[in-house]
């Protein structure tokens, strides 16, 4: 079972190939927002290097976010079209879950994954780890780093993600350990899907997890409330 | 046995479109999913809203275009895939581009990069295959107002363009000011039919005889005039404003025809749907004894059939794009060297 994993939720673009749970190859294609240009050339290079062709891909996994909106759109449009054209299933995993599942995150019980949401906010979700799949301890949030630090005060645990690194000075004040890991790993995503036996679904139901309304919609809602 | 086909994808603004066109430029299928309803509440296209909608629409629209052409997304029966890579909204362009690349890769067919404006110029090839060259194309939309000399398919000279607002932008701004909603063009066109086009004398900015145009002064003049009125005769304002835009466009277009000895005038872009412009351009061409090629309403709006037509032109000259193709929101039309 050959699996292609696409990762575009942060400023980096990355791909991985797995055969069932075995990681065959992983590549960071770009680290500076060039998702459109770098994603598929990297996937083609990875496949070619292993003597495989696109026709041999059995399923696709994509990071649905939360993260950079444009990155998510490139990842989702690519993954959905690829899966539909191949007639195969697609698995969507969240950036926060992939970060929490990373074996480089050595946590006893709890991990909080923190992805940079820009404009002074982060996407964050706390997980209970130790099992096959990180178990969400609450919904993902859009929150300021200070707000997150307040919520985490007094809890032990580990923080991971580009948001944790960017706001290390604020979040580190909680006493939490911050793991030096910014990008959700496509290899980890592939291994997680295999280990937890996550089933592929119809590609059209896999959509980006934005967690934030477009500006105009948010402004419009506010305006509508004021004018009422 | 059917003729060779191209699939094209267009997502540069707020229409998600896909089409299948054969090598004789027969449109086998063309699907356009408009987001007008999504954006109307905001009085204009919201880029982030457009980008989000494209992600969910692009591959169902492609599947629909292929189904209508008697094939399917897993067995498409196409020679190549053409996609708009610019100009347009970057967050919208990259959705169509990502989908097109994935399909090109899976299907093992060449990817062709098409400039959206060139698509509009090729629209006439689909509906008026016998169109004479050289001809002048007046390309008028919410984003562009240009006069081009088309010497042959793919060979263009820029004759003139707006130095500020696009004509369609002026329609939208005036419509918003008059409280007519979005999109403004059709609303003004409808009202103008009931109004007196000579009720107000709005300026025709002719830019001293050259072929460039300007529409921001016109919009300001409308606002200034209307602000002074206690009661606004909306239909008369709409009719007078539309008359000023149409006058400017047709005067410049006919000057371009005369200057170049062109044998036909072609209208293209969203504003080419305006009934006043269509009437005035037809009348002026008849008087000048040249052919006036008006697009159907479906061809005025953004669509993928025109992208496919331009795609065939590029494919025939071996102009194929790599999987590393980037979206270019400010892409320029490739022009012939100046004389
Ligand atoms: Zn257009």
């Amino acid at each position: 079972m050959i699996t292609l994993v696409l990762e575009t939720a942060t400023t980096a673009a990355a791909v991985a190939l797995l055969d069932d749970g075995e990681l065959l190859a992983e590549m960071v294609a770009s680290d500076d927002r060039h998702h459109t240009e770098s994603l598929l050339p990297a996937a083609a290079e990875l496949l070619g290097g292993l003597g495989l062709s696109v026709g041999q891909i059995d399923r696709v996994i994509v990071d649905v976010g939360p993260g950079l909106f444009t990155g998510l759109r490139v990842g989702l449009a690519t993954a959905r079209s690829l899966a539909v054209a191949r007639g195969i299933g697609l698995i969507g995993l969240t950036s926060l879950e992939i970060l929490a599942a990373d074996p480089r995150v050595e946590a006893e019980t709890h991990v909080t994954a923190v992805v940079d949401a820009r404009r002074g906010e982060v996407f964050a979700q706390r997980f209970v780890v130790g099992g096959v799949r990180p178990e969400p301890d609450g919904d993902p949030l859009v929150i300021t780093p200070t707000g997150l630090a307040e919520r985490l005060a007094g809890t032990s645990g580990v923080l991971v993600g580009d948001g944790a690194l960017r706001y290390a000075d604020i979040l580190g004040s909680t006493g939490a350990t911050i793991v030096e890991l910014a990008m959700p790993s496509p290899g980890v995503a592939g291994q997680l899907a295999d280990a937890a036996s996550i089933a592929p679904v119809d590609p059209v139901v896999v959509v980006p997890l934005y967690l934030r309304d477009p500006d105009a919609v948010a402004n419009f809602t506010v305006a509508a409330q004021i004018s009422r | 046995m059917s003729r060779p086909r191209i699939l094209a994808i267009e997502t540069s603004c707020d229409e998600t479109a896909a089409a299948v066109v054969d090598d004789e430029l027969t449109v086998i299928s063309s699907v356009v999913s408009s987001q007008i309803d999504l954006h109307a509440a905001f009085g204009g296209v919201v880029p982030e809203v457009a980008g989000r909608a494209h992600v969910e629409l692009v591959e169902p629209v492609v599947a629909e275009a292929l189904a209508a052409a008697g094939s399917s997304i897993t067995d498409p029966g196409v020679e190549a895939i053409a996609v708009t890579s610019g100009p347009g909204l970057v967050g919208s362009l990259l959705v169509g581009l990502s989908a097109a690349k994935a399909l090109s890769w899976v299907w093992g067919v060449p990817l062709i990069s098409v400039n959206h404006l060139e698509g509009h110029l090729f629209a006439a090839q689909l509906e008026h295959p016998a169109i004479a060259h050289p001809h002048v194309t007046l390309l008028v939309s919410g984003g562009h107002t240009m006069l081009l000399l088309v010497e042959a398919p793919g060979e263009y000279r820029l004759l003139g363009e707006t130095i500020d607002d696009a004509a369609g932008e002026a329609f939208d701004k005036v419509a918003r000011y008059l409280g007519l909603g979005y999109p403004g063009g059709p609303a003004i066109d409808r009202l103008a039919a009931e109004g007196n086009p000579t009720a107000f004398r709005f300026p025709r900015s002719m830019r001293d005889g050259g072929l460039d145009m300007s529409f921001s002064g016109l919009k300001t003049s409308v606002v200034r005039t209307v602000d002074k009125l206690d009661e606004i005769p909306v239909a008369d304002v709409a009719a007078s404003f539309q008359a000023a835009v149409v006058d400017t466009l047709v005067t410049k277009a006919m000057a371009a025809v005369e200057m170049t000895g062109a044998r036909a005038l072609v209208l293209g872009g969203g504003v080419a749907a305006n009934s006043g412009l269509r009437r005035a351009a037809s009348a002026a061409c008849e008087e000048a004894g040249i052919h006036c090629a008006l697009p159907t309403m479906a061809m005025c709006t953004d669509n993928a059939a025109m992208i496919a037509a331009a795609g065939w032109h590029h494919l025939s000259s071996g102009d194929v794009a790599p999987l590393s193709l980037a979206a270019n929101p400010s892409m320029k039309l490739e022009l012939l060297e100046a004389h």
Side-chain angles (χ1 to χ4, degrees), chain A residues 36-37 40 44 47 54 69 73-74 78 80-81 84-85 204 210 212 214 216-217 220, chain B residues 41-42 46 48 51-52 55-56 59 73-74 91 94 98-99 101-103 105 324 326:
Chain A
T36 319
E37 299 93 312
L40 277 187
L47 270 177
V54 62
F69 293 168
R73 280 198 272 279
V74 171
T78 304
R80 284 168 51 126
S81 293
V84 169
V204 298
Y210 295 108
R212 190 194 259 154
V217 177
F220 195 76
Chain B
F42 309 112
V46 182
E48 178 61 24
R52 291 184 181 196
V55 172
E56 300 195 25
E59 115 303 292
I73 201 159
T74 50
L94 54 77
S98 297
K101 285 182 183 183
L103 297 175
W105 191 40
S324 58

mmCIF file of all heavy atoms in Angstrom, chain A residues 36-37 40 44 47 54 69 73-74 78 80-81 84-85 204 210 212 214 216-217 220, chain B residues 41-42 46 48 51-52 55-56 59 73-74 91 94 98-99 101-103 105 324 326:
data_model
loop_
_atom_site.group_PDB
_atom_site.id
_atom_site.type_symbol
_atom_site.label_atom_id
_atom_site.label_comp_id
_atom_site.label_asym_id
_atom_site.label_seq_id
_atom_site.Cartn_x
_atom_site.Cartn_y
_atom_site.Cartn_z
ATOM 1 N N THR A 36 3.044 26.193 -4.087
ATOM 2 C CA THR A 36 2.554 25.907 -5.441
ATOM 3 C C THR A 36 3.663 25.371 -6.333
ATOM 4 O O THR A 36 3.475 24.407 -7.068
ATOM 5 C CB THR A 36 2.014 27.197 -6.100
ATOM 6 O OG1 THR A 36 1.295 27.941 -5.140
ATOM 7 C CG2 THR A 36 1.144 26.889 -7.293
ATOM 8 N N GLU A 37 4.816 26.034 -6.290
ATOM 9 C CA GLU A 37 5.904 25.686 -7.199
ATOM 10 C C GLU A 37 6.601 24.384 -6.822
ATOM 11 O O GLU A 37 7.088 23.665 -7.685
ATOM 12 C CB GLU A 37 6.971 26.808 -7.210
ATOM 13 C CG GLU A 37 6.473 28.155 -7.672
ATOM 14 C CD GLU A 37 6.020 29.032 -6.518
ATOM 15 O OE1 GLU A 37 5.259 28.527 -5.653
ATOM 16 O OE2 GLU A 37 6.401 30.206 -6.478
ATOM 17 N N LEU A 40 4.454 19.443 -6.015
ATOM 18 C CA LEU A 40 4.398 18.273 -6.901
ATOM 19 C C LEU A 40 5.743 17.905 -7.522
ATOM 20 O O LEU A 40 6.033 16.714 -7.692
ATOM 21 C CB LEU A 40 3.331 18.457 -7.984
ATOM 22 C CG LEU A 40 1.908 18.098 -7.526
ATOM 23 C CD1 LEU A 40 0.937 18.135 -8.688
ATOM 24 C CD2 LEU A 40 1.855 16.750 -6.823
ATOM 25 N N ALA A 44 7.110 14.137 -7.351
ATOM 26 C CA ALA A 44 7.551 13.406 -8.540
ATOM 27 C C ALA A 44 8.993 12.934 -8.377
ATOM 28 O O ALA A 44 9.345 11.810 -8.768
ATOM 29 C CB ALA A 44 7.414 14.299 -9.777
ATOM 30 N N LEU A 47 9.100 9.949 -5.893
ATOM 31 C CA LEU A 47 8.619 8.715 -6.524
ATOM 32 C C LEU A 47 9.645 8.172 -7.506
ATOM 33 O O LEU A 47 9.981 6.975 -7.497
ATOM 34 C CB LEU A 47 7.325 8.995 -7.309
ATOM 35 C CG LEU A 47 5.982 8.861 -6.616
ATOM 36 C CD1 LEU A 47 4.897 9.273 -7.590
ATOM 37 C CD2 LEU A 47 5.725 7.452 -6.115
ATOM 38 N N VAL A 54 3.342 7.586 -10.501
ATOM 39 C CA VAL A 54 2.143 8.140 -9.867
ATOM 40 C C VAL A 54 0.985 7.129 -9.901
ATOM 41 O O VAL A 54 0.143 7.109 -8.999
ATOM 42 C CB VAL A 54 1.760 9.498 -10.513
ATOM 43 C CG1 VAL A 54 1.421 9.346 -11.989
ATOM 44 C CG2 VAL A 54 0.614 10.161 -9.783
ATOM 45 N N PHE A 69 -3.449 29.871 5.200
ATOM 46 C CA PHE A 69 -4.590 29.635 4.308
ATOM 47 C C PHE A 69 -4.174 29.267 2.888
ATOM 48 O O PHE A 69 -4.725 28.347 2.281
ATOM 49 C CB PHE A 69 -5.506 30.863 4.263
ATOM 50 C CG PHE A 69 -6.214 31.151 5.562
ATOM 51 C CD1 PHE A 69 -6.880 32.354 5.738
ATOM 52 C CD2 PHE A 69 -6.230 30.225 6.589
ATOM 53 C CE1 PHE A 69 -7.538 32.627 6.931
ATOM 54 C CE2 PHE A 69 -6.883 30.485 7.787
ATOM 55 C CZ PHE A 69 -7.538 31.706 7.949
ATOM 56 N N ARG A 73 -4.805 25.696 0.844
ATOM 57 C CA ARG A 73 -5.528 25.592 -0.432
ATOM 58 C C ARG A 73 -4.717 24.823 -1.474
ATOM 59 O O ARG A 73 -5.271 24.017 -2.220
ATOM 60 C CB ARG A 73 -5.887 26.992 -0.959
ATOM 61 C CG ARG A 73 -7.100 27.539 -0.282
ATOM 62 C CD ARG A 73 -7.688 28.667 -1.073
ATOM 63 N NE ARG A 73 -7.106 29.951 -0.739
ATOM 64 C CZ ARG A 73 -7.467 30.677 0.314
ATOM 65 N NH1 ARG A 73 -8.393 30.227 1.130
ATOM 66 N NH2 ARG A 73 -6.909 31.839 0.547
ATOM 67 N N VAL A 74 -3.407 25.071 -1.507
ATOM 68 C CA VAL A 74 -2.555 24.332 -2.441
ATOM 69 C C VAL A 74 -2.573 22.842 -2.087
ATOM 70 O O VAL A 74 -2.772 21.986 -2.956
ATOM 71 C CB VAL A 74 -1.103 24.865 -2.413
ATOM 72 C CG1 VAL A 74 -0.175 23.956 -3.208
ATOM 73 C CG2 VAL A 74 -1.045 26.293 -2.952
ATOM 74 N N THR A 78 -4.528 20.124 -4.489
ATOM 75 C CA THR A 78 -3.650 19.112 -5.080
ATOM 76 C C THR A 78 -4.091 17.708 -4.667
ATOM 77 O O THR A 78 -4.278 16.824 -5.510
ATOM 78 C CB THR A 78 -2.183 19.337 -4.634
ATOM 79 O OG1 THR A 78 -1.795 20.666 -4.977
ATOM 80 C CG2 THR A 78 -1.245 18.348 -5.307
ATOM 81 N N ARG A 80 -6.920 16.557 -3.336
ATOM 82 C CA ARG A 80 -8.256 16.138 -3.786
ATOM 83 C C ARG A 80 -8.244 15.754 -5.265
ATOM 84 O O ARG A 80 -8.793 14.719 -5.659
ATOM 85 C CB ARG A 80 -9.270 17.265 -3.543
ATOM 86 C CG ARG A 80 -9.670 17.402 -2.071
ATOM 87 C CD ARG A 80 -10.440 18.687 -1.807
ATOM 88 N NE ARG A 80 -11.561 18.891 -2.708
ATOM 89 C CZ ARG A 80 -12.821 19.122 -2.321
ATOM 90 N NH1 ARG A 80 -13.115 19.153 -1.034
ATOM 91 N NH2 ARG A 80 -13.768 19.328 -3.199
ATOM 92 N N SER A 81 -7.630 16.601 -6.105
ATOM 93 C CA SER A 81 -7.605 16.311 -7.545
ATOM 94 C C SER A 81 -6.821 15.034 -7.828
ATOM 95 O O SER A 81 -7.218 14.216 -8.658
ATOM 96 C CB SER A 81 -6.993 17.486 -8.311
ATOM 97 O OG SER A 81 -7.836 18.600 -8.216
ATOM 98 N N VAL A 84 -8.964 12.024 -6.675
ATOM 99 C CA VAL A 84 -10.125 11.816 -7.539
ATOM 100 C C VAL A 84 -9.686 11.279 -8.906
ATOM 101 O O VAL A 84 -10.299 10.362 -9.454
ATOM 102 C CB VAL A 84 -10.937 13.129 -7.689
ATOM 103 C CG1 VAL A 84 -11.971 12.994 -8.789
ATOM 104 C CG2 VAL A 84 -11.626 13.474 -6.373
ATOM 105 N N ALA A 85 -8.617 11.846 -9.455
ATOM 106 C CA ALA A 85 -8.157 11.413 -10.781
ATOM 107 C C ALA A 85 -7.605 9.983 -10.745
ATOM 108 O O ALA A 85 -7.700 9.247 -11.725
ATOM 109 C CB ALA A 85 -7.098 12.376 -11.310
ATOM 110 N N VAL A 204 -13.908 14.437 -1.848
ATOM 111 C CA VAL A 204 -14.652 15.697 -1.834
ATOM 112 C C VAL A 204 -15.110 16.116 -0.438
ATOM 113 O O VAL A 204 -15.479 17.272 -0.232
ATOM 114 C CB VAL A 204 -15.890 15.682 -2.788
ATOM 115 C CG1 VAL A 204 -15.459 15.482 -4.218
ATOM 116 C CG2 VAL A 204 -16.896 14.647 -2.358
ATOM 117 N N TYR A 210 -9.964 25.914 8.536
ATOM 118 C CA TYR A 210 -9.424 27.280 8.626
ATOM 119 C C TYR A 210 -9.460 27.798 10.067
ATOM 120 O O TYR A 210 -8.587 28.534 10.477
ATOM 121 C CB TYR A 210 -10.229 28.227 7.739
ATOM 122 C CG TYR A 210 -10.146 27.931 6.251
ATOM 123 C CD1 TYR A 210 -11.217 27.383 5.556
ATOM 124 C CD2 TYR A 210 -8.982 28.235 5.538
ATOM 125 C CE1 TYR A 210 -11.148 27.136 4.190
ATOM 126 C CE2 TYR A 210 -8.899 27.991 4.175
ATOM 127 C CZ TYR A 210 -9.989 27.444 3.506
ATOM 128 O OH TYR A 210 -9.916 27.201 2.169
ATOM 129 N N ARG A 212 -10.864 30.166 11.175
ATOM 130 C CA ARG A 212 -11.026 31.614 11.267
ATOM 131 C C ARG A 212 -11.783 32.060 10.025
ATOM 132 O O ARG A 212 -11.463 31.635 8.927
ATOM 133 C CB ARG A 212 -9.652 32.279 11.314
ATOM 134 C CG ARG A 212 -9.692 33.750 11.640
ATOM 135 C CD ARG A 212 -8.354 34.384 11.322
ATOM 136 N NE ARG A 212 -7.510 34.606 12.482
ATOM 137 C CZ ARG A 212 -6.176 34.672 12.411
ATOM 138 N NH1 ARG A 212 -5.562 34.479 11.270
ATOM 139 N NH2 ARG A 212 -5.478 34.918 13.496
ATOM 140 N N PRO A 214 -13.024 34.493 6.982
ATOM 141 C CA PRO A 214 -12.335 35.527 6.197
ATOM 142 C C PRO A 214 -12.619 36.887 6.828
ATOM 143 O O PRO A 214 -13.702 37.094 7.374
ATOM 144 C CB PRO A 214 -12.999 35.437 4.815
ATOM 145 C CG PRO A 214 -13.657 34.101 4.775
ATOM 146 C CD PRO A 214 -14.001 33.737 6.195
ATOM 147 N N ALA A 216 -13.486 39.813 5.725
ATOM 148 C CA ALA A 216 -14.693 40.520 5.306
ATOM 149 C C ALA A 216 -15.925 39.936 5.991
ATOM 150 O O ALA A 216 -16.825 40.657 6.374
ATOM 151 C CB ALA A 216 -14.851 40.447 3.800
ATOM 152 N N VAL A 217 -15.942 38.620 6.156
ATOM 153 C CA VAL A 217 -17.090 37.978 6.785
ATOM 154 C C VAL A 217 -17.160 38.397 8.241
ATOM 155 O O VAL A 217 -18.215 38.780 8.748
ATOM 156 C CB VAL A 217 -16.994 36.442 6.661
ATOM 157 C CG1 VAL A 217 -18.158 35.784 7.398
ATOM 158 C CG2 VAL A 217 -16.976 36.038 5.196
ATOM 159 N N PHE A 220 -18.177 41.964 8.423
ATOM 160 C CA PHE A 220 -19.563 42.112 8.013
ATOM 161 C C PHE A 220 -20.491 41.705 9.153
ATOM 162 O O PHE A 220 -21.491 42.336 9.417
ATOM 163 C CB PHE A 220 -19.810 41.241 6.783
ATOM 164 C CG PHE A 220 -21.079 41.568 6.061
ATOM 165 C CD1 PHE A 220 -21.147 42.690 5.256
ATOM 166 C CD2 PHE A 220 -22.201 40.774 6.191
ATOM 167 C CE1 PHE A 220 -22.305 43.003 4.585
ATOM 168 C CE2 PHE A 220 -23.366 41.087 5.527
ATOM 169 C CZ PHE A 220 -23.426 42.209 4.719
ATOM 170 N N ALA B 41 -23.288 39.986 -0.843
ATOM 171 C CA ALA B 41 -23.509 40.574 0.478
ATOM 172 C C ALA B 41 -22.406 41.556 0.859
ATOM 173 O O ALA B 41 -22.623 42.462 1.650
ATOM 174 C CB ALA B 41 -23.610 39.474 1.533
ATOM 175 N N PHE B 42 -21.222 41.392 0.278
ATOM 176 C CA PHE B 42 -20.087 42.247 0.632
ATOM 177 C C PHE B 42 -19.888 43.381 -0.365
ATOM 178 O O PHE B 42 -18.964 44.170 -0.247
ATOM 179 C CB PHE B 42 -18.801 41.421 0.743
ATOM 180 C CG PHE B 42 -18.957 40.216 1.621
ATOM 181 C CD1 PHE B 42 -18.914 38.936 1.095
ATOM 182 C CD2 PHE B 42 -19.180 40.373 2.977
ATOM 183 C CE1 PHE B 42 -19.087 37.833 1.908
ATOM 184 C CE2 PHE B 42 -19.350 39.272 3.799
ATOM 185 C CZ PHE B 42 -19.302 37.997 3.260
ATOM 186 N N VAL B 46 -14.654 39.164 -2.475
ATOM 187 C CA VAL B 46 -13.758 39.065 -1.320
ATOM 188 C C VAL B 46 -12.756 37.951 -1.613
ATOM 189 O O VAL B 46 -13.136 36.782 -1.711
ATOM 190 C CB VAL B 46 -14.539 38.726 -0.035
ATOM 191 C CG1 VAL B 46 -13.606 38.684 1.157
ATOM 192 C CG2 VAL B 46 -15.669 39.723 0.182
ATOM 193 N N GLU B 48 -10.514 36.170 -0.036
ATOM 194 C CA GLU B 48 -10.438 34.982 0.825
ATOM 195 C C GLU B 48 -11.686 34.102 0.661
ATOM 196 O O GLU B 48 -11.599 32.872 0.660
ATOM 197 C CB GLU B 48 -10.245 35.417 2.284
ATOM 198 C CG GLU B 48 -10.192 34.292 3.313
ATOM 199 C CD GLU B 48 -9.040 33.299 3.104
ATOM 200 O OE1 GLU B 48 -8.025 33.653 2.486
ATOM 201 O OE2 GLU B 48 -9.192 32.141 3.551
ATOM 202 N N GLY B 51 -11.226 32.264 -2.718
ATOM 203 C CA GLY B 51 -10.247 31.184 -2.627
ATOM 204 C C GLY B 51 -10.840 29.948 -1.960
ATOM 205 O O GLY B 51 -10.642 28.822 -2.415
ATOM 206 N N ARG B 52 -11.584 30.177 -0.887
ATOM 207 C CA ARG B 52 -12.181 29.048 -0.169
ATOM 208 C C ARG B 52 -13.202 28.311 -1.030
ATOM 209 O O ARG B 52 -13.270 27.080 -1.017
ATOM 210 C CB ARG B 52 -12.856 29.549 1.123
ATOM 211 C CG ARG B 52 -11.840 30.013 2.139
ATOM 212 C CD ARG B 52 -12.488 30.404 3.450
ATOM 213 N NE ARG B 52 -11.443 30.871 4.364
ATOM 214 C CZ ARG B 52 -11.596 31.004 5.661
ATOM 215 N NH1 ARG B 52 -12.749 30.717 6.227
ATOM 216 N NH2 ARG B 52 -10.607 31.421 6.419
ATOM 217 N N VAL B 55 -11.639 25.942 -3.742
ATOM 218 C CA VAL B 55 -11.116 24.655 -3.263
ATOM 219 C C VAL B 55 -12.198 23.579 -3.294
ATOM 220 O O VAL B 55 -11.965 22.449 -3.687
ATOM 221 C CB VAL B 55 -10.550 24.776 -1.830
ATOM 222 C CG1 VAL B 55 -10.181 23.405 -1.272
ATOM 223 C CG2 VAL B 55 -9.326 25.685 -1.809
ATOM 224 N N GLU B 56 -13.406 23.971 -2.897
ATOM 225 C CA GLU B 56 -14.467 22.958 -2.843
ATOM 226 C C GLU B 56 -15.140 22.735 -4.189
ATOM 227 O O GLU B 56 -15.790 21.725 -4.397
ATOM 228 C CB GLU B 56 -15.498 23.352 -1.775
ATOM 229 C CG GLU B 56 -14.821 23.447 -0.415
ATOM 230 C CD GLU B 56 -15.777 23.467 0.766
ATOM 231 O OE1 GLU B 56 -16.891 22.947 0.627
ATOM 232 O OE2 GLU B 56 -15.370 23.991 1.814
ATOM 233 N N GLU B 59 -12.710 20.623 -8.337
ATOM 234 C CA GLU B 59 -12.689 19.314 -8.974
ATOM 235 C C GLU B 59 -14.071 18.749 -9.259
ATOM 236 O O GLU B 59 -14.251 18.078 -10.276
ATOM 237 C CB GLU B 59 -11.580 18.473 -8.365
ATOM 238 C CG GLU B 59 -11.793 17.218 -7.571
ATOM 239 C CD GLU B 59 -12.660 17.375 -6.391
ATOM 240 O OE1 GLU B 59 -12.282 18.042 -5.430
ATOM 241 O OE2 GLU B 59 -13.749 16.794 -6.408
ATOM 242 N N ILE B 73 -13.225 11.788 -14.963
ATOM 243 C CA ILE B 73 -11.980 12.314 -14.386
ATOM 244 C C ILE B 73 -10.920 11.218 -14.247
ATOM 245 O O ILE B 73 -9.726 11.506 -14.199
ATOM 246 C CB ILE B 73 -12.279 13.041 -13.046
ATOM 247 C CG1 ILE B 73 -11.159 14.026 -12.690
ATOM 248 C CG2 ILE B 73 -12.516 12.050 -11.918
ATOM 249 C CD1 ILE B 73 -11.577 15.113 -11.726
ATOM 250 N N THR B 74 -11.331 9.947 -14.214
ATOM 251 C CA THR B 74 -10.331 8.880 -14.160
ATOM 252 C C THR B 74 -9.944 8.408 -15.566
ATOM 253 O O THR B 74 -8.936 7.728 -15.742
ATOM 254 C CB THR B 74 -10.843 7.669 -13.351
ATOM 255 O OG1 THR B 74 -12.142 7.320 -13.828
ATOM 256 C CG2 THR B 74 -10.919 7.986 -11.870
ATOM 257 N N GLY B 91 -4.807 33.927 -4.447
ATOM 258 C CA GLY B 91 -5.400 32.837 -3.673
ATOM 259 C C GLY B 91 -6.412 32.027 -4.463
ATOM 260 O O GLY B 91 -6.736 30.894 -4.120
ATOM 261 N N LEU B 94 -4.092 29.970 -7.518
ATOM 262 C CA LEU B 94 -3.303 28.795 -7.136
ATOM 263 C C LEU B 94 -4.166 27.561 -6.871
ATOM 264 O O LEU B 94 -3.648 26.445 -6.887
ATOM 265 C CB LEU B 94 -2.346 29.102 -5.983
ATOM 266 C CG LEU B 94 -2.855 29.706 -4.694
ATOM 267 C CD1 LEU B 94 -3.528 28.659 -3.855
ATOM 268 C CD2 LEU B 94 -1.696 30.332 -3.934
ATOM 269 N N SER B 98 -3.117 24.298 -8.805
ATOM 270 C CA SER B 98 -2.799 23.072 -8.060
ATOM 271 C C SER B 98 -3.583 21.893 -8.615
ATOM 272 O O SER B 98 -3.043 20.794 -8.784
ATOM 273 C CB SER B 98 -3.131 23.254 -6.574
ATOM 274 O OG SER B 98 -2.338 24.279 -6.018
ATOM 275 N N ALA B 99 -4.874 22.127 -8.887
ATOM 276 C CA ALA B 99 -5.707 21.047 -9.425
ATOM 277 C C ALA B 99 -5.183 20.628 -10.800
ATOM 278 O O ALA B 99 -5.047 19.432 -11.088
ATOM 279 C CB ALA B 99 -7.158 21.510 -9.521
ATOM 280 N N LYS B 101 -2.220 20.896 -12.091
ATOM 281 C CA LYS B 101 -0.936 20.182 -12.005
ATOM 282 C C LYS B 101 -1.146 18.727 -11.591
ATOM 283 O O LYS B 101 -0.538 17.810 -12.158
ATOM 284 C CB LYS B 101 -0.027 20.858 -10.973
ATOM 285 C CG LYS B 101 0.585 22.149 -11.433
ATOM 286 C CD LYS B 101 1.475 22.649 -10.310
ATOM 287 C CE LYS B 101 2.072 23.987 -10.650
ATOM 288 N NZ LYS B 101 3.000 24.423 -9.576
ATOM 289 N N ALA B 102 -1.995 18.546 -10.578
ATOM 290 C CA ALA B 102 -2.250 17.179 -10.103
ATOM 291 C C ALA B 102 -2.845 16.336 -11.228
ATOM 292 O O ALA B 102 -2.443 15.183 -11.441
ATOM 293 C CB ALA B 102 -3.190 17.214 -8.892
ATOM 294 N N LEU B 103 -3.785 16.904 -11.976
ATOM 295 C CA LEU B 103 -4.420 16.160 -13.067
ATOM 296 C C LEU B 103 -3.414 15.874 -14.174
ATOM 297 O O LEU B 103 -3.366 14.770 -14.728
ATOM 298 C CB LEU B 103 -5.622 16.945 -13.612
ATOM 299 C CG LEU B 103 -6.761 17.167 -12.606
ATOM 300 C CD1 LEU B 103 -7.849 18.053 -13.201
ATOM 301 C CD2 LEU B 103 -7.347 15.838 -12.135
ATOM 302 N N TRP B 105 -0.275 15.516 -13.893
ATOM 303 C CA TRP B 105 0.671 14.516 -13.401
ATOM 304 C C TRP B 105 0.047 13.115 -13.451
ATOM 305 O O TRP B 105 0.649 12.171 -13.972
ATOM 306 C CB TRP B 105 1.069 14.888 -11.970
ATOM 307 C CG TRP B 105 2.213 14.119 -11.407
ATOM 308 C CD1 TRP B 105 3.363 13.751 -12.054
ATOM 309 C CD2 TRP B 105 2.322 13.619 -10.070
ATOM 310 N NE1 TRP B 105 4.177 13.067 -11.191
ATOM 311 C CE2 TRP B 105 3.577 12.971 -9.974
ATOM 312 C CE3 TRP B 105 1.505 13.674 -8.942
ATOM 313 C CZ2 TRP B 105 4.016 12.372 -8.794
ATOM 314 C CZ3 TRP B 105 1.955 13.080 -7.760
ATOM 315 C CH2 TRP B 105 3.198 12.433 -7.693
ATOM 316 N N SER B 324 6.464 22.961 -11.838
ATOM 317 C CA SER B 324 6.865 24.025 -10.914
ATOM 318 C C SER B 324 6.252 25.377 -11.286
ATOM 319 O O SER B 324 6.585 26.398 -10.683
ATOM 320 C CB SER B 324 8.391 24.145 -10.894
ATOM 321 O OG SER B 324 8.860 24.419 -12.202
ATOM 322 N N ALA B 326 4.374 28.686 -11.403
ATOM 323 C CA ALA B 326 3.853 29.504 -10.305
ATOM 324 C C ALA B 326 2.662 30.326 -10.777
ATOM 325 O O ALA B 326 2.535 30.619 -11.965
ATOM 326 C CB ALA B 326 4.944 30.434 -9.783
#
